[in-house]
């Protein structure tokens, strides 16, 4: 069952509902039986966007997360009543998948592309549009270049080149992407930051990454370029990504 809490400066106090207010910054991560991947990176990303909360805040957040079952907690700084307030929502983790289909969004609605949180509702609308086109995720273009998914980051794998491309475009810095790219050198894989149009990605194996799913293999780009079939590398990196999880 979902539950919400407000930081009162000393502790997290339960609230019946999370207020409807502009989101200054937000972050979420998967917790499975008390283990999670790179929580320190999520803390750093949230702090950079929202201003660093006191250390006691994070201590209390971790204490609230159950150590059994699958959870997807969310922290937010909300602009409420002319001040910013910190909220935490404990949510059971949604169903996760290993594959996804994508669709190119017709517009870029983001107002703060480098910050996770303020654009989430607008990006959620894009994902709903993608579903109407038979896809799971919408890919956002910035100046004709692929930037990111509505709720994900895109990586391209060129098996014949031994290269993994991350996309050089305005977007939220992805924690899952950072972890995966850190795994690549040990496998002898080179990584490149590349501005890429949809046409530039034709024939690549595409993965969309998030803290909930890890790496999902893109099986189809609806009304877009052809993509490569899944390789063993996808499964191996997915296992290594979650294999880096540590206890809370």
């Amino acid at each position: 069952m979902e539950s919400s809490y407000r930081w009162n400066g000393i502790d997290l106090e339960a609230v019946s509902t999370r207020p409807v207010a502009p989101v200054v910054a937000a972050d979420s991560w998967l917790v499975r039986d008390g283990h999670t991947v790179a929580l320190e990176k999520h803390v750093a990303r949230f702090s950079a966007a929202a201003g660093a909360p006191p250390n006691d805040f994070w201590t209390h957040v971790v204490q609230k997360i159950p150590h059994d079952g699958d959870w997807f907690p969310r922290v937010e700084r909300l602009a409420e009543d002319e001040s910013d307030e910190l909220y935490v929502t404990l949510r059971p983790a949604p169903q996760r998948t290993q594959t996804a289909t994508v669709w190119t969004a017709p517009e870029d609605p983001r107002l703060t592309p480098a910050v996770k949180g303020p654009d989430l509702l607008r990006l959620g609308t894009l994902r709903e549009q993608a579903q109407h086109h038979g896809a799971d995720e919408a890919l956002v273009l910035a100046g004709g270049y692929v930037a990111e998914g509505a709720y994900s980051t895109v990586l391209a794998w060129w098996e014949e080149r031994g290269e993994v491309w991350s996309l050089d475009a305005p977007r939220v810095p992805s924690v899952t992407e950072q972890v995966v790219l850190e795994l690549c050198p040990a496998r002898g894989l080179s990584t490149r930051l590349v501005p890429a149009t949809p046409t530039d990605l034709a024939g690549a194996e595409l993965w969309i990454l998030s803290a909930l799913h890890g790496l999902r293999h893109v099986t189809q780009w609806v009304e877009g370029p052809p993509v490569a079939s899944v390789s063993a590398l996808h499964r191996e990196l997915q296992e290594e990504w979650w294999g880096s999880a540590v206890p809370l």
Side-chain angles (χ1 to χ4, degrees):
M1 179 178 294
E2 185 172 298
S3 54
S4 296
Y5 303 87
R6 174 185 171 274
W7 177 248
N8 62 18
I10 299 174
D11 199 354
L12 288 171
E13 58 183 14
V15 293
S16 57
T17 59
R18 168 194 167 281
V20 178
V23 179
V24 177
D27 222 301
S28 303
W29 60 95
L30 176 65
V31 178
R32 301 186 65 186
D33 293 328
H35 291 70
T36 194
V37 174
L39 178 57
E40 73 286 354
K41 295 182 186 295
H42 287 280
V43 171
R45 181 173 67 178
F46 183 79
S47 298
N55 289 334
D56 285 354
F57 169 75
W58 292 108
T59 299
H60 283 81
V61 169
V62 169
Q63 290 174 348
K64 289 291 185 186
I65 302 172
H67 281 212
D68 60 324
D70 293 357
W71 297 88
F72 195 50
R74 171 168 164 159
V75 295
E76 299 170 287
R77 186 180 286 277
L78 304 182
E80 182 187 3
D81 298 329
E82 300 182 357
S83 64
D84 290 353
E85 301 286 350
L86 292 166
Y87 284 85
V88 179
T89 304
L90 291 183
R91 308 172 292 180
Q95 183 178 355
R96 297 178 299 283
T97 63
Q98 296 293 303
T99 62
T101 56
V102 300
W103 166 79
T104 307
E107 60 182 359
D108 180 359
R110 301 172 302 165
L111 301 179
T112 57
V115 178
K116 184 178 179 66
D119 293 319
L120 285 175
L121 287 178
R122 285 179 283 272
L123 292 169
T125 299
L126 282 189
R127 176 175 279 187
E128 291 174 1
Q129 292 178 28
Q131 292 168 348
H132 289 311
H133 286 80
D136 303 301
E137 179 66 302
L139 298 188
V140 179
L141 305 187
Y145 294 97
V146 181
E148 60 185 345
Y151 292 161
S152 61
T153 295
V154 182
L155 287 181
W157 160 236
W158 299 95
E159 186 168 8
E160 69 279 8
R161 308 176 193 176
E163 289 182 351
V164 176
W165 286 6
S166 57
L167 302 185
D168 188 7
R171 58 187 174 91
V172 171
S174 166
V175 169
T176 307
E177 177 189 30
Q178 291 176 41
V179 173
V180 170
L181 293 180
E182 288 169 1
L183 296 172
C184 287
R187 290 180 159 274
L189 306 176
S190 62
T191 61
R192 293 178 59 194
L193 182 64
V194 179
T197 67
T199 301
D200 294 331
L201 297 177
E205 181 177 342
L206 295 185
W207 307 321
I208 56 173
L209 283 64
S210 68
L212 175 62
H213 299 277
L215 299 84
R216 285 191 288 174
H217 170 246
V218 175
T219 57
Q220 181 185 9
W221 193 329
V222 177
E223 301 174 3
V227 293
S229 57
V230 68
S231 65
L233 181 61
H234 169 263
R235 175 183 53 79
E236 293 165 358
L237 286 176
Q238 175 78 334
E239 291 176 353
E240 287 190 48
W241 164 74
W242 187 253
S244 69
V246 297
L248 289 171

